[in-house]
Amino acid sequence: MSTTPTWFGSDGRRLFGVVHLPEGDHARAGIVLCPSMGKEHVDTYRGLKLLAQELAAAGFAVLRFDYLGVGDSGGDQNDAAAMDGWLASIGDAVSLVRSLGCTTVSAVGLRAGALLLDRAADAVGPLHTVVLWDPVPRGRAYLREQQALYRLGVGTDTVGTDTDDTDLHTIGHSLSTEAAAALSALELTAASPAVSQWIFALRDGYSSPRLDKAIERSGATVRHVGTMTEFVTPESFLVPLPNTAIRAVVDILDGAHDSARDCAVEFTPTTSVTHQAGDGSTFTEHIESIGAHGLFGIRSTPVGTPDSAPTLVFCATANDTRTGPARLWVELAREAARSGASALRFDRRGTGESEVVRADEHTPIYSAESADDVVAAARAAHADPRRVVLTGICSGSWNAAHAATEIGAGGAVMVNAIAWSWKRKKSTQGEIDPADLGIPRSDPAWQKTPRARIKNALQTHLPYRAWRLLGVRGVTQVPEVILRSLADNDVDATVILAPADHRWFVDQRGPEGLTRIQRRSGTVPLIVSAPVGDHSAYHADMRRTIISSVLARTIEPQRQQVTA
């Protein structure tokens, strides 16, 4: 089997996708996988890749892709005409699969992707089989649910500020009011005559009156595939793969194509593409393989960029892909490219497009592998390490600081860092206990525990030198430990903190450490305290703070050095 990333689509609609082909030069049929939206898109990313792998092993040619304005595809996620772009993206995906040589094409839509596929079916048909996998019955209910999760887990937006933000935000996605209205208006029908066979692949025990009506009206086949809750709404950032459900979807498509004709398939990928921004400016993006382990990466560069231009390197958090929260790294990379710099976003092993997916895989937050991977990406970013600036959120910030000190980078931007010790506990490489990471515990019940009382007493009364020694040994988290290493290696450090993370920084005696660093080196890291925002940087205002701070603190100064 082969797995090949590519760009495809028209000049005004450049899309990112990955083609999976079976062994040999023939396929039973072609299958398009339509992902969900927002955080569900990120959480289910590896699961859809595993599905594609399994389908390719069963003899199908498969395409996974990002909608216009989503993931690594071109376009603005806040576009007023985003719905038209999403539907057109499905058409482009089907066209690509047909261009491989597949005369028979089927499709799978997951969650909100099922809604979009249902609406697009008339325009992209004929389709042999459409599988609506754990489908969203109605756009309005789905969007309300996603907004509620955003308010509960992220907070409210600052509407009417200098940004005049009237967009609607969910965890992992922003939509214009026009796109939100268009998504709200969608309702599942499974009625298009362009589809020969509709199949509902439902989670066990799921019931919805609207879904039941759609099934009854369409006469579609219903199959139950097992549990889906932990896959689409996981309790943490570590998403378990629904192996039973994936196997069931493979079996459904395998059975639906018993009589399908073999197709001779051939594919030549497009690895470089030129994007045009809304203001008419252009930049290029190139798919590349990084380091000895062939990490997946995408490099954004301005047209005709000089070798001396600085390069940003983005370190993803936990199991997230290279796109970052709510597409942050993609948008920042492209803004950097439009400003004359380069940017490299990549997937460490066991995430995104790097390595094949294993049914039993567990990718820890911190590991020796991830530390090695970010160093490899930093070395590949630019021949001159002083032209490299690394940035990441939470665990990504730790990896950014590690690589910056390792290669002697020009800068590191640490966003919402909570791990300030170089020593990582074994617990962070297996099942995660937040207490072992040193994450602030606001639960009043926890504050009454002996562990909390001892820690609070040490924070308040222990002499700072002894407190710092505990940080060096990894017993607690002391900001000076990493920030001093960056200063000693002449790395220009910036720390961006959401309100809760700033309180954590102060509680861990960060200001005392800054004073000691200034006395020692004459310089001090810049601390940017965001007025509002969340730890994971899903909040729209937090993302704006990160973009403006990174560009102002790292890109512009380095550009001035280049042109001086």
Side-chain angles (χ1 to χ4, degrees), residues 254-457:
D254 182 61
H257 292 83
D258 278 345
S259 60
R261 182 174 56 186
D262 279 356
C263 320
V265 292
E266 184 178 359
F267 176 59
T268 301
T270 300
T271 57
S272 294
V273 67
T274 298
H275 295 286
Q276 183 170 9
D279 62 359
S281 61
T282 59
F283 57 92
T284 63
E285 290 196 309
H286 179 73
I287 296 168
E288 61 183 72
S289 178
I290 301 169
H293 297 285
L295 305 176
F296 175 82
I298 295 179
R299 189 184 297 263
S300 305
T301 60
V303 176
T305 178
D307 292 339
S308 56
T311 300
L312 269 171
V313 178
F314 301 107
C315 306
T317 304
N319 285 8
D320 285 353
T321 69
R322 65 215 162 264
T323 60
R327 212 186 184 214
L328 171 62
W329 299 142
V330 175
E331 294 180 351
L332 182 48
R334 292 172 179 173
E335 186 65 30
R338 292 171 59 198
S339 300
S342 295
L344 177 63
R345 55 191 188 271
F346 72 100
D347 291 329
R348 63 190 180 96
R349 277 173 280 178
T351 67
E353 294 303 323
S354 292
E355 296 189 319
V356 299
V357 183
R358 304 183 308 273
D360 60 345
E361 73 177 12
H362 169 78
T363 305
I365 304 178
Y366 300 94
S367 68
E369 283 186 352
S370 65
D372 290 343
D373 289 348
V374 70
V375 171
R379 294 193 190 284
H382 201 291
D384 180 3
R386 298 302 299 168
R387 295 298 181 197
V388 176
V389 178
L390 296 107
T391 185
I393 300 169
C394 190
S395 61
S397 72
W398 188 95
N399 280 322
H402 165 75
T405 56
E406 188 75 13
I407 73 167
V413 182
M414 304 178 67
V415 182
N416 293 340
I418 55 175
W420 293 103
S421 172
W422 289 122
K423 291 190 176 182
R424 308 308 317 137
K425 297 179 181 180
K426 291 183 179 180
S427 59
T428 64
Q429 300 183 30
E431 294 298 322
I432 305 303
D433 178 359
D436 289 328
L437 293 177
I439 295 175
R441 302 295 294 269
S442 58
D443 186 348
W446 186 84
Q447 294 292 340
K448 297 177 182 179
T449 64
R451 180 175 178 176
R453 289 172 177 170
I454 292 172
K455 186 174 182 180
N456 290 336

Side-chain angles (χ1 to χ4, degrees), residues 56-328:
F60 296 100
V62 186
L63 172 65
R64 295 181 292 116
F65 72 100
D66 293 338
Y67 307 109
L68 187 68
V70 175
D72 288 298
S73 289
D76 179 3
Q77 68 172 316
N78 306 95
D79 193 340
M83 174 61 73
D84 293 338
W86 302 335
L87 299 179
S89 300
I90 296 176
D92 289 340
V94 171
S95 295
L96 175 59
V97 171
R98 288 190 176 125
S99 73
L100 301 178
C102 296
T103 55
T104 300
V105 179
S106 294
V108 178
L110 174 64
R111 300 287 292 155
L115 265 180
L116 298 177
L117 179 57
D118 179 69
R119 174 56 64 91
D122 278 336
V124 305
L127 296 173
H128 181 280
T129 299
V130 166
V131 177
L132 304 175
W133 185 15
D134 196 30
V136 173
R138 193 183 185 201
R140 179 174 289 109
Y142 173 76
L143 204 52
R144 286 176 177 172
E145 176 187 83
Q146 298 305 309
Q147 286 181 272
L149 290 173
Y150 182 90
R151 289 191 294 269
L152 181 64
V154 177
T156 56
D157 293 313
T158 307
V159 179
T161 62
D162 57 344
T163 60
D164 194 25
D165 184 5
T166 59
D167 294 326
L168 182 147
H169 303 289
T170 67
I171 296 179
H173 195 198
S174 293
L175 304 89
S176 65
T177 53
E178 296 88 347
L183 180 58
S184 294
L186 293 184
E187 189 165 345
L188 207 63
T189 64
S192 172
V195 178
S196 299
Q197 180 178 206
W198 291 92
I199 299 177
F200 284 78
L202 306 181
R203 67 175 72 179
D204 290 349
Y206 182 75
S207 178
S208 163
R210 290 187 179 275
L211 190 59
D212 292 341
K213 288 182 180 179
I215 293 171
E216 182 179 354
R217 286 195 304 264
S218 66
T221 302
V222 176
R223 294 280 297 275
H224 292 278
V225 298
T227 183
M228 289 287 294
T229 304
E230 283 299 303
F231 182 46
V232 297
T233 53
E235 292 183 355
S236 75
F237 43 77
L238 300 178
V239 183
L241 299 179
N243 299 316
T244 300
I246 289 172
R247 187 66 252 170
V249 173
V250 173
D251 289 343
I252 289 170
L253 290 164
D254 182 61
H257 292 83
D258 278 345
S259 60
R261 182 174 56 186
D262 279 356
C263 320
V265 292
E266 184 178 359
F267 176 59
T268 301
T270 300
T271 57
S272 294
V273 67
T274 298
H275 295 286
Q276 183 170 9
D279 62 359
S281 61
T282 59
F283 57 92
T284 63
E285 290 196 309
H286 179 73
I287 296 168
E288 61 183 72
S289 178
I290 301 169
H293 297 285
L295 305 176
F296 175 82
I298 295 179
R299 189 184 297 263
S300 305
T301 60
V303 176
T305 178
D307 292 339
S308 56
T311 300
L312 269 171
V313 178
F314 301 107
C315 306
T317 304
N319 285 8
D320 285 353
T321 69
R322 65 215 162 264
T323 60
R327 212 186 184 214
L328 171 62

